[in-house]
Amino acid sequence: MRTVLKVVDNSGAKKVMCIQALKGKKGARLGDTIVASVKEAHPNGKVKKGKVVYGVVVRAAMQRGRCDGSEVKFDDNAVVLVDKQGLPIGTRVFGPVPHELRMKKHVKILTLAGHIA
Amino acid sequence: MRLEKCWFCSSTVYPGHGIQFVRNDAKIFRFCRSKCHKNFKMKRNPRKVKWTKAYRRLHGKDMTQDSTFEFERKRNRPERYDRNLAEDVLKAIPKIDKIRVSREEKHHKNRMKGNKAKLLKEAVKELEQGISLVKAPSVLEKDPSLTLPKIKVQVSQQQAEENHPMEE
């Protein structure tokens, strides 16, 4: 809630604020889906400022346990905007994304991403 | 399964251990334990921290160039499975390990070569300077065998003559 996240795709939004984590009451973690409000946007993008959008957290500064027991953490908090079905709105994804997205059925984001960590 | 090396201390990171940090340019930093992770967060340079492998290599403490290191190297091309080859590799591992350990011991021995004479010299010097701490000077006077032999030095008589005017 109220976390401002960077948007790392070309949907047109720059920064979004988390207004709801779709699973769990403790807030979203790496790989979770959130509902967010667009706080900053490019002037002629697909997504306008003030819209309520869905997004997948692809990078989180807080560490998350991996299936083998080790942990992974990233430099910043970032999302990729998706629609209600879970398909990305933009056509590109910037920066590294974790391979855990595969388990969350976001294969499309993985294929768009340049680096998979 | 690949066993990665810790970015900070160069030890092996076994599966399920440690934490990995992914920078925004997709460079992955793996750490074997929180100690290494904390040191990384403090922006310490592993070359300047004495307990890391990088420091020891840089300062000639460890063996750096050896043919045994060639076996344990990151290879990006996967080897096609071959039963005979796998058997040979498994047989060779302990042998290579043994050779490496013996060479490391030799390196350490070489490195420590001049140390014994140096230590002895230092000890003799300390004993000479600090003998009064072990034996009180009064005891040394009683038993002349404990002191070093006295050396007689001839002193000219000039000083005594100079003192005469003071008495008047």
Side-chain angles (χ1 to χ4, degrees):
Chain A
M1 273 281 275
R2 298 197 74 88
T3 306
V4 175
L5 301 108
K6 214 164 97 182
V7 180
V8 286
D9 58 9
N10 58 351
S11 60
K14 274 197 240 173
K15 276 183 180 159
V16 297
M17 189 176 81
C18 174
I19 52 174
Q20 183 77 60
L22 278 190
K23 224 177 185 185
K25 284 175 185 166
K26 267 189 157 181
R29 297 277 181 276
L30 189 66
D32 287 353
T33 308
I34 58 169
V35 185
S37 127
V38 179
K39 288 291 166 193
E40 258 180 60
H42 284 289
N44 38 18
K46 270 185 208 166
V47 178
K48 297 281 176 287
K49 188 182 167 187
K51 290 281 176 220
V52 174
V53 288
Y54 285 75
V56 178
V57 181
V58 292
R59 287 205 286 274
M62 182 164 179
Q63 71 272 27
R64 184 183 190 281
R66 290 210 139 150
C67 55
D68 70 347
S70 62
E71 285 173 329
V72 63
K73 61 184 257 174
F74 288 84
D75 238 351
D76 57 356
N77 300 319
V79 286
V80 167
L81 299 189
V82 293
D83 58 13
K84 268 194 169 173
Q85 280 76 44
L87 293 171
I89 294 174
T91 53
R92 295 178 67 193
V93 172
F94 307 113
V97 298
H99 63 73
E100 277 92 346
L101 291 180
R102 194 180 297 279
M103 285 194 291
K104 303 260 181 185
K105 308 250 163 63
H106 293 299
V107 186
K108 187 75 188 165
I109 295 175
L110 277 175
T111 57
L112 293 175
H115 299 284
I116 295 168
Chain B
M1 180 157 285
R2 177 167 281 175
L3 299 176
E4 304 281 356
K5 295 283 180 224
C6 173
W7 183 83
F8 200 81
C9 71
S10 326
S11 67
T12 315
V13 184
Y14 288 94
H17 286 252
I19 189 166
Q20 72 183 47
F21 170 66
V22 185
R23 211 165 56 182
N24 261 358
D25 59 359
K27 174 151 175 51
I28 299 176
F29 299 89
R30 290 187 180 79
F31 304 103
C32 60
R33 47 188 159 163
S34 61
K35 179 182 178 181
C36 295
H37 186 213
K38 276 177 196 161
N39 274 282
F40 171 76
K41 283 195 281 190
M42 283 192 270
K43 299 192 173 173
R44 285 202 181 141
N45 187 351
R47 288 166 159 244
K48 289 184 182 170
V49 180
K50 291 200 172 174
W51 51 268
T52 64
K53 207 82 185 161
Y55 178 95
R56 292 187 64 80
R57 281 202 190 120
L58 190 68
H59 291 78
K61 312 275 183 196
D62 278 349
M63 203 165 52
T64 46
Q65 283 180 336
D66 199 74
S67 51
T68 50
F69 294 139
E70 285 296 300
F71 296 105
E72 190 192 337
R73 209 184 45 199
K74 193 172 170 181
R75 289 171 179 83
N76 283 328
R77 195 170 299 162
E79 196 74 40
R80 199 181 181 84
Y81 178 73
D82 178 11
R83 195 188 158 98
N84 294 330
L85 185 73
E87 227 166 61
D88 285 351
V89 167
L90 283 177
K91 256 186 218 162
I93 286 173
K95 208 176 225 174
I96 294 164
D97 238 26
K98 216 172 157 186
I99 293 169
R100 205 195 59 231
V101 167
S102 71
R103 281 184 187 175
E104 261 167 13
E105 267 170 12
K106 209 171 154 193
H107 178 88
H108 182 258
K109 220 176 185 178
N110 252 348
R111 195 158 69 77
M112 296 291 168
K113 223 177 192 176
N115 265 12
K116 213 169 182 182
K118 204 176 132 200
L119 276 177
L120 198 71
K121 218 173 165 185
E122 273 172 9
V124 166
K125 200 177 176 190
E126 200 182 351
L127 186 69
E128 230 168 78
Q129 284 174 345
I131 188 72
S132 60
L133 297 174
V134 189
K135 292 268 182 193
S138 56
V139 176
L140 291 179
E141 270 171 27
K142 276 179 201 165
D143 191 356
S145 72
L146 291 172
T147 51
L148 295 167
K150 272 189 180 173
I151 306 161
K152 280 197 175 176
V153 181
Q154 283 204 342
V155 182
S156 57
Q157 292 285 309
Q158 274 185 349
Q159 282 175 347
E161 280 169 23
E162 277 171 17
N163 284 348
H164 276 297
M166 293 288 282
E167 284 174 14
E168 282 174 19

